[in-house]
Amino acid sequence: MEGVVGEGESYTLVVRKPCFGLPTACPSSLPLYLYLRFANVPFQLDFNLVFPDSDQIPYIESGDYVAYNNEKGGVIERLKRDGIIDLDTELYSVPEWISTKAMLSSWLADAITYELWVGSDSSSAETIYCSDLPWPIGKVLFLKQVHSVKQQLGITKDNAEQKGEEIYRRAGIAYEALSTRLGAQDFLFENRPSSLDAIFLGQALIVLQALPEMSVLRRKLLEHGNLVRYVERVKTEFVETGPSYSVPHFRADSSSSIPKKGPSKSSKPKSKPKKEKTKEEKTFKRRAKYFLATQLVAVLLFLTLMGRPDDVEVDLDDDDEGYD
């Protein structure tokens, strides 16, 4: 590992909430959590519950340093470029490294996105992203995200079935290749953890624990016993023994549309509990009103666009009728 964390240096990892027995069930957040655990980097967890459509989450911060998910390559690549944490320095020249990375970041990433928002009953995605939001804001933002995912994957009414079959076919090929690559090893490359292990395991834990039993993607993963054992072992060693956390409550002041820089509030000592509590209540009310107002505006704009088919074609087909 390059760029060893300095003594006394503290990191805060901001992710989506814990659920389904995982410290976070977000497919972008859990791989980063595992990457830090593999690197043995000390960090504390903080949770963002109010911006399901933010592409900045997850992010990591320490003092004035902050790395966001929507930067080129995501947080893991940013940590590598900045020389802070790089588990892959000796692996770039290994055969199959590039092809495995491409497979994880395209075929399997598309598959879990499709399964969460389109392929299954979508209840898992609603729990992960929208269940803490006031109704109907959560419902409308959920439907908006379903539409966004369909656009991202190129899914229309005419090609929905063919696209789904293609996504599952590629996922099956990817799992077969990963099963062969892993064999009887503890990790995918050189028998030690890397960023690719973190990416795959983060995805696989969500597939096995968050998706419903009828999930096609879950069924395809369960066909490979060595991959399932690999996931269960890492869960025992690196997830169940990770940083302690409690299930967070809805807190509109826990974040803003642009995540804060510097240490999170939860890491600051509170010498005057009663006074601090009064300030937090005032901040909560003020920011909650601002949040609700901005989200209501977003809802109105979305509904306006839905009513203008000549300008924007919104595909809310039969898959979404359960959320009318």
Side-chain angles (χ1 to χ4, degrees):
M1 181 180 75
E2 290 186 354
V4 178
V5 180
E7 185 177 353
E9 196 166 359
S10 175
Y11 285 92
T12 297
L13 175 60
V14 181
V15 296
R16 304 195 190 279
K17 70 174 184 178
C19 53
F20 300 108
L22 299 170
T24 173
C26 167
S28 299
S29 301
L30 193 54
L32 178 56
Y33 173 94
L34 289 170
Y35 187 74
L36 297 179
R37 293 285 290 124
F38 288 158
N40 199 29
V41 172
F43 66 94
Q44 64 180 24
L45 278 174
D46 200 358
F47 302 95
N48 182 299
L49 309 182
V50 295
F51 291 97
D53 54 349
S54 173
D55 60 357
Q56 292 182 321
I57 303 168
Y59 62 93
I60 188 169
E61 57 185 5
S62 178
D64 293 330
Y65 179 84
V66 61
Y68 298 109
N69 181 61
N70 61 349
E71 297 180 42
K72 184 178 180 181
V75 180
I76 291 177
E77 292 301 319
R78 170 71 187 278
L79 292 173
K80 291 182 185 180
R81 289 197 302 271
D82 294 342
I84 297 175
I85 309 165
D86 191 348
L87 296 178
D88 306 332
T89 50
E90 300 175 4
L91 300 175
Y92 297 119
S93 60
V94 174
E96 301 181 38
W97 171 266
I98 295 177
S99 61
T100 302
K101 183 176 181 180
M103 190 169 56
L104 289 170
S105 59
S106 58
W107 288 5
L108 287 184
D110 287 350
I112 193 170
T113 299
Y114 175 81
E115 190 76 315
L116 278 172
W117 295 99
V118 182
S120 63
D121 61 8
S122 302
S123 60
S124 298
E126 194 168 16
T127 299
I128 295 166
Y129 293 93
C130 302
S131 59
D132 294 289
L133 296 174
W135 191 93
I137 293 174
K139 290 292 186 182
V140 173
L141 289 179
F142 173 80
L143 290 175
K144 180 182 174 184
Q145 187 63 22
V146 169
H147 171 62
S148 176
V149 167
K150 287 182 177 180
Q151 283 189 317
Q152 173 190 329
L153 299 176
I155 297 173
T156 65
K157 287 182 178 180
D158 295 331
N159 70 3
E161 185 176 350
Q162 293 85 349
K163 278 287 185 180
E165 291 175 354
E166 179 66 11
I167 288 170
Y168 288 135
R169 185 184 70 83
R170 290 178 175 178
I173 294 172
Y175 285 146
E176 182 67 37
L178 288 168
S179 178
T180 302
R181 172 74 233 177
L182 179 67
Q185 298 182 113
D186 288 337
F187 297 98
L188 291 172
F189 291 91
E190 304 296 317
N191 219 24
R192 65 183 181 84
S194 69
S195 65
L196 299 193
D197 292 281
I199 293 169
F200 168 72
L201 290 162
Q203 295 173 346
L205 278 165
I206 293 169
V207 169
L208 293 176
Q209 295 199 213
L211 295 181
E213 290 187 5
M214 65 184 69
S215 162
V216 176
L217 191 62
R218 186 174 186 271
R219 192 163 62 246
K220 286 184 176 293
L221 177 54
L222 287 172
E223 292 174 359
H224 304 281
N226 65 333
L227 292 182
V228 175
R229 290 189 295 272
Y230 168 44
V231 173
E232 291 298 328
R233 177 177 56 80
V234 168
K235 177 188 172 187
T236 301
E237 295 179 8
F238 293 94
V239 176
E240 295 177 352
T241 61
S244 61
Y245 60 88
S246 58
V247 178
H249 299 290
F250 177 83
R251 288 165 41 223
D253 62 327
S254 63
S255 61
S256 61
S257 57
I258 301 177
K260 60 184 180 298
K261 296 186 178 183
S264 63
K265 287 184 178 180
S266 60
S267 64
K268 293 182 180 180
K270 297 180 181 180
S271 56
K272 299 179 180 180
K274 292 184 179 180
K275 187 174 182 180
E276 287 294 324
K277 183 177 181 181
T278 302
K279 288 182 178 180
E280 289 176 357
E281 288 174 351
K282 292 179 180 178
T283 302
F284 175 87
K285 291 179 180 178
R286 183 174 65 254
R287 293 189 179 181
K289 289 179 181 178
Y290 173 77
F291 167 73
L292 291 173
T294 55
Q295 295 295 355
L296 283 172
V297 170
V299 168
L300 291 174
L301 288 174
F302 180 66
L303 293 175
T304 301
L305 292 175
M306 287 176 60
R308 299 172 60 188
D310 294 336
D311 297 331
V312 178
E313 181 182 355
V314 179
D315 180 19
L316 294 177
D317 56 19
D318 295 339
D319 294 337
D320 303 328
E321 63 186 8
Y323 297 96
D324 290 346

